[in-house]
Amino acid sequence: STFMTQGAGMDSKGGGGGGGNNLKGMGEKQIEVDRRLFRKQILRVETEMEELRVQREMYRQKRRKRDTLPIVAIVGYTNAGKSSLLNRLCGAE
């Protein structure tokens, strides 16, 4: 048994010994089974990544439309009055 099929209830001789749809058929070598399983796994991950890419781009576009205000930063030394300035600008006391 190898990394992908370890503990899958397969015997090392091949053929139709129990299990599910990932098992090897007659004459299928273990390396071929592993390659098939890895290809399937890689395809699934690539599909999920593409879905995530599309979703993130959609969120990015929504953010660009929504966030039209300029971004401002107040910087200064400790005890320079940054919070006081912000509170006065916002009208918060």
Side-chain angles (χ1 to χ4, degrees):
S1 93
T2 63
F3 173 74
M4 287 296 289
T5 58
Q6 196 169 22
M10 296 172 44
D11 59 2
S12 60
K13 302 261 185 201
N21 53 353
N22 287 337
L23 300 180
K24 59 186 173 183
M26 291 299 291
E28 189 176 17
K29 295 194 186 305
Q30 189 62 52
I31 190 81
E32 293 167 338
V33 172
D34 291 344
R35 282 187 185 136
R36 180 168 46 90
L37 294 174
F38 278 129
R39 268 189 241 111
K40 193 174 182 180
Q41 195 173 28
I42 289 170
L43 182 64
R44 182 180 51 79
V45 170
E46 286 175 343
T47 303
E48 288 176 8
M49 284 176 54
E50 184 57 32
E51 290 172 359
L52 187 61
R53 206 173 285 126
V54 169
Q55 183 183 36
R56 290 179 61 126
E57 183 58 36
M58 183 182 67
Y59 287 147
R60 220 174 271 129
Q61 288 173 358
K62 284 183 178 181
R63 247 192 335 269
R64 284 188 197 119
K65 287 180 186 176
R66 183 191 67 214
D67 299 341
T68 56
L69 294 175
I71 298 172
V72 179
I74 299 175
V75 296
Y77 292 108
T78 304
N79 294 331
K82 298 180 296 289
S83 296
S84 300
L85 174 63
L86 182 62
N87 288 334
R88 295 293 291 272
L89 288 172
C90 295
E93 289 294 326

